[in-house]
Amino acid sequence: MKKNIIITGGAGFIGSHVVRLFVNNYPEYKIINLDKLTYAGNLENLKDIEKADNYVFEKVDIVKKEEVELLFEKYPVDGVVHLAAESHVDRSITNPNEFIMTNVIGTANLLNAVVKQWKGNTDGKMFYHISTDEVYGSLDKGGFFIESTPYDPRSPYSASKASSDHLVRAYHNTYKIPVIISNCSNNYGPNQFPEKLIPLAFNNIKNKKTIPVYGKGENIRDWLFVIDHARAIDVIFHKGTPGETYNIGGNNEWKNIDLIRLLCRIMDSKLNRSSGESEKLISFVTDRAGHDLRYAIDSNKLQKELGWKPSVTFEEGLGKTVDWYLMNEEWLQNVVSGDYGAYYERQYKSR
Ligand code: NAD
Ligand code: TYD
């Protein structure tokens, strides 16, 4: 009997890399990709593995309790890796309720289904919740986020993720279900939706459109290649201690403006443009409301206890990412041909 592992949000950016890794590495699992297919969910991300024997897709909205319950009636579930979420801070500022529904209520619906099914028998079971470093707030005065850093979420997105983390820990304490949480820094890599900084800038540079940099471009993020995040999720799911939290990060801090300049240089070289041509597209625009200044992760616990470390440098990862977007023009075209134009108009016209 194969073990049934549900991966939620498996059609999204990070989720699709996790699904691929699990499908390829664990023939003894049946991987159930649970996804609602919002604007961010794209089954094209999984074309290469969609016919695998140990893979199945289930279209489910985690906000709809009945849909979640039906899925759990269909499968005896051994593990859940929970990535489904609304994930973009700017969208959370214009539409916080959607974030509260998906990230908080959706997580509660999954936890309730697990408690109901696992009651009395949690041997070999695991509910693994994927969270973000943004729950810890903003590091304006230096230092790093460690696993015990107090929560201080400052956007509707991070507050909804913090709420879901609290629910997961509360269910562990109250109902004794085995849980693990990991909090990761900013991801980049193939298949990221071009609302996030790096693919949005890529798309604009390619099309010679202005690159909107919020404020003065001084905000700092700690960037991790998505495949290294998926590798960390694999290690934590299989070797992590139930009840524990692990921080994941690449020890790779960049000021937004420096990152954009690096991306411009890489693209000038790959597109045979003259040096400095793409940088001219940089445009400083109105800052994001409540914009967190700096995130930086201390991932020593994960590195020391579970032996994980990033596999690529930032320059390598960014180069691979640019190559992927250049080679997958059709993917990007399909993604931006839908509601993206209207979103872009709304988001950037008044900045
Ligand atoms: P994404 O927006 O690319 O993908 C989210 C996926 O969840 C999509 O496939 C979407 O269809 C699905 N989804 C959304 N609402 C749903 C619902 N109601 N029911 C079922 N499925 C639904 O997100 P991502 O960047 O891949 O992030 C995945 C997870 O990792 C999120 O939980 C996010 O908070 C976390 N995370 C992301 C980053 C990052 O830099 N992107 C960093 C740390 C943690
Ligand atoms: P983003 O990719 O949205 O991730 P997050 O807000 O979760 O960190 O943004 C990364 C950084 O880039 C953040 O400081 C906001 C900034 N940013 C811009 O300057 N311009 C943009 O168009 C976007 C989308 C982000």
Side-chain angles (χ1 to χ4, degrees):
M1 279 284 282
K2 283 189 196 294
K3 275 187 158 191
N4 289 326
I5 309 293
I6 294 183
I7 299 181
T8 75
F13 166 49
I14 303 169
S16 60
H17 289 280
V18 177
V19 165
R20 176 175 301 100
L21 193 76
F22 275 54
V23 165
N24 288 335
N25 286 3
Y26 302 102
E28 68 274 29
Y29 294 167
K30 177 174 206 160
I31 301 301
I32 301 153
N33 174 9
L34 177 172
D35 204 295
K36 176 187 173 184
L37 300 181
T38 66
Y39 78 93
N42 185 351
L43 288 176
E44 274 196 45
N45 295 347
L46 292 165
K47 268 213 149 8
D48 55 323
I49 56 101
E50 70 186 1
K51 298 209 164 67
D53 287 347
N54 61 340
Y55 171 76
V56 61
F57 173 68
E58 295 278 358
K59 191 169 187 303
V60 170
D61 178 352
I62 56 170
V63 175
K64 302 209 169 110
K65 181 170 138 256
E66 308 72 31
E67 290 189 17
V68 174
E69 282 172 353
L70 269 179
L71 190 80
F72 276 77
E73 277 163 28
K74 189 164 165 191
Y75 300 100
V77 176
D78 297 289
V80 178
V81 184
H82 177 35
L83 296 106
E86 287 294 335
S87 69
H88 188 40
V89 174
D90 290 329
R91 289 187 193 252
S92 84
I93 295 169
T94 31
N95 192 359
N97 276 26
E98 201 153 345
F99 284 67
I100 295 161
M101 292 310 290
T102 296
N103 300 357
V104 186
I105 306 298
T107 301
N109 285 338
L110 286 167
L111 286 165
N112 288 332
V114 155
V115 169
K116 192 170 163 197
Q117 193 183 88
W118 292 353
K119 217 174 203 158
N121 181 12
T122 55
D123 270 3
K125 308 280 201 284
M126 178 56 69
F127 186 96
Y128 178 9
H129 179 61
I130 308 301
S131 192
T132 165
D133 61 355
E134 303 191 24
V135 298
Y136 298 124
S138 181
L139 287 166
D140 297 7
K141 298 191 188 85
F144 294 88
F145 296 134
I146 57 172
E147 285 78 2
S148 56
T149 301
Y151 275 32
D152 181 25
R154 292 151 45 95
S155 73
Y157 164 64
S158 55
S160 67
K161 289 297 290 187
S163 310
S164 63
D165 293 9
H166 288 320
L167 280 174
V168 172
R169 291 197 180 96
Y171 274 58
H172 175 63
N173 179 61
T174 307
Y175 305 107
K176 309 297 173 209
I177 52 166
V179 306
I180 293 188
I181 299 179
S182 59
N183 297 79
C184 189
S185 61
N186 285 61
N187 284 217
Y188 69 97
N191 305 96
Q192 189 168 30
F193 193 85
E195 63 187 353
K196 306 277 167 62
L197 179 65
I198 291 178
L200 183 137
F202 168 92
N203 192 36
N204 287 16
I205 294 169
K206 190 162 150 268
N207 295 309
K208 301 195 175 175
K209 279 177 63 177
T210 58
I211 313 162
V213 175
Y214 297 167
K216 296 190 174 112
E218 302 270 296
N219 303 68
I220 295 170
R221 297 292 183 265
D222 180 355
W223 293 92
L224 182 70
F225 193 48
V226 64
I227 289 168
D228 282 330
H229 188 188
R231 287 175 51 246
I233 289 172
D234 181 5
V235 171
I236 293 168
F237 183 70
H238 290 99
K239 296 196 192 145
T241 306
E244 289 291 312
T245 297
Y246 298 89
N247 278 357
I248 313 172
N251 199 13
N252 178 43
E253 291 179 56
W254 284 80
K255 258 189 199 167
N256 290 341
I257 187 64
D258 295 337
L259 186 163
I260 292 302
R261 291 204 170 109
L262 172 64
L263 182 64
C264 287
R265 284 197 295 277
I266 294 177
M267 291 199 47
D268 280 345
S269 139
K270 298 215 188 249
L271 295 171
N272 292 320
R273 291 184 184 167
S274 60
S275 153
E277 191 180 331
S278 299
E279 268 194 33
K280 293 193 193 120
L281 298 168
I282 291 173
S283 162
F284 293 97
V285 300
T286 309
D287 210 350
R288 173 187 280 172
H291 196 173
D292 287 342
L293 182 63
R294 173 173 168 258
Y295 305 141
I297 278 275
D298 177 339
S299 65
N300 265 311
K301 176 177 174 182
L302 171 62
Q303 304 215 18
K304 291 212 172 95
E305 288 183 14
L306 304 184
W308 171 90
K309 62 177 190 331
S311 68
V312 292
T313 65
F314 190 50
E315 282 74 4
E316 283 166 352
L318 200 55
K320 281 177 192 239
T321 304
V322 169
D323 287 342
W324 185 87
Y325 279 95
L326 288 172
M327 278 170 8
N328 289 275
E329 244 173 80
E330 203 184 321
W331 183 93
L332 190 58
Q333 225 24 65
N334 288 344
V335 165
V336 297
S337 64
D339 292 337
Y340 183 73
Y343 163 78
Y344 198 91
E345 258 308 284
R346 271 197 315 277
Q347 190 59 40
Y348 292 95
K349 80 164 184 278
S350 58
R351 283 188 185 270

